[in-house]
Amino acid sequence: TQLLEQSPQFLSIQEGENLTVYCNSSSVFSSLQWYRQEPGEGPVLLVTVVTGGEVKKLKRLTFQFGDARKDSSLHITAAQPGDTGLYLCAGHYSNSGYALNFGKGTSLLVTP
Amino acid sequence: GAGVSQSPSNKVTEKGKDVELRCDPISGHTALYWYRQSLGQGLEFLIYFQGNSAPDKSGLPSDRFSAERTGGSVSTLTIQRTQQEDSAVYLCASSLFLGAKWSTGELFFGEGSRLTVL
């Protein structure tokens, strides 16, 4: 069973700070996605990365896919309270079935 | 609405009873997933449908769990003889199928069905 590990598990910061969360696996991803989930709701897609070394930016969020396609990071610049939520990475493995495998997530709290 | 709809939103049942959870995906989405999310855990994959077929059932935790999809649309997840460890939020997601099993378009999730087994 492939395992996606996310770190840190919890993060509490003040508005305006920068942060980075990580997603790691021992296996190569065919593709990787980041989702954000708010309480009582389903996850919502933030980004999909496919190519090793790829960097994508979404306003204050920067996503990076490792060269070997085994890891990814999400960097948030000048965090805002609206960024609060559970950040989940999810990946497909080339030797797995149809399942999109999710990590346990990083729970982020941004206080004013 | 145009999103994924799940019902019931909350279900409280007694140990040993059967429950049915329903998912109405976005129209035109041929791919449908069921996941389970327990407190403090990530999303645990249960089953994947492509149309009415389920080519990947590898995540179903026991034979008490089953799912079907009819008309390439609505799906029902059934849990028989519920146990306390079945308590969780059950999430359904749908997406367009992009032609390869490793190729993932955006998954659109419903708000989930929260199951509590007493």
Side-chain angles (χ1 to χ4, degrees):
Chain A
T1 302
Q2 290 98 344
L3 186 66
L4 277 80
E5 295 190 355
Q6 290 192 244
S7 61
Q9 188 175 358
F10 299 101
L11 191 54
S12 180
I13 62 172
Q14 291 196 318
E15 182 175 4
E17 294 185 16
N18 301 332
L19 67 116
T20 303
V21 299
Y22 301 92
C23 175
N24 295 281
S25 174
S26 58
S27 299
V28 174
F29 295 111
S30 300
S31 62
L32 186 138
Q33 296 179 320
W34 285 92
Y35 288 80
R36 178 165 156 260
Q37 184 179 23
E38 297 189 39
E41 299 183 7
V44 175
L45 179 68
L46 296 173
V47 76
T48 299
V49 287
V50 178
T51 304
E54 185 174 2
V55 177
K56 283 192 173 179
K57 293 190 176 183
L58 183 67
K59 297 184 180 178
R60 295 177 293 99
L61 277 61
T62 301
F63 303 86
Q64 191 159 7
F65 200 18
D67 291 341
R69 307 208 321 270
K70 291 184 176 182
D71 59 274
S72 181
S73 64
L74 159 59
H75 182 79
I76 301 178
T77 303
Q80 298 177 0
D83 296 326
T84 293
L86 180 66
Y87 289 81
L88 296 155
C89 70
H92 265 298
Y93 296 100
S94 57
N95 62 347
S96 68
Y98 291 83
L100 183 63
N101 301 280
F102 281 81
K104 292 186 177 182
T106 292
S107 181
L108 172 65
L109 175 63
V110 183
T111 54
Chain B
V4 176
S5 179
Q6 291 189 246
S7 62
S9 55
N10 277 288
K11 175 71 175 180
V12 180
T13 190
E14 293 180 346
K15 178 181 173 181
K17 295 285 182 67
D18 297 352
V19 297
E20 286 190 352
L21 307 176
R22 175 189 168 106
C23 173
D24 201 341
I26 292 173
S27 178
H29 281 190
T30 57
L32 186 147
Y33 300 77
W34 281 99
Y35 285 88
R36 178 168 71 175
Q37 187 173 30
S38 303
L39 191 63
Q41 302 295 316
L43 275 66
E44 177 188 2
F45 169 78
L46 298 177
I47 189 169
Y48 166 81
F49 285 94
Q50 176 57 33
N52 291 335
S53 300
D56 193 340
K57 305 178 182 178
S58 61
L60 294 176
S62 75
D63 59 8
R64 296 187 296 105
F65 288 73
S66 63
E68 64 175 12
R69 189 178 184 193
T70 56
S73 181
V74 172
S75 177
T76 303
L77 177 68
T78 301
I79 309 173
Q80 295 179 312
R81 304 181 303 281
T82 53
Q83 304 293 315
Q84 288 182 333
E85 60 263 28
D86 300 334
S87 296
V89 176
Y90 289 81
L91 290 161
C92 173
S94 70
S95 75
L96 295 171
F97 180 64
L98 299 184
K101 68 177 184 180
W102 54 265
S103 176
T104 301
E106 178 174 1
L107 263 62
F108 293 83
F109 284 85
E111 294 188 343
S113 292
R114 180 176 296 279
L115 174 64
T116 303
V117 182
L118 301 177

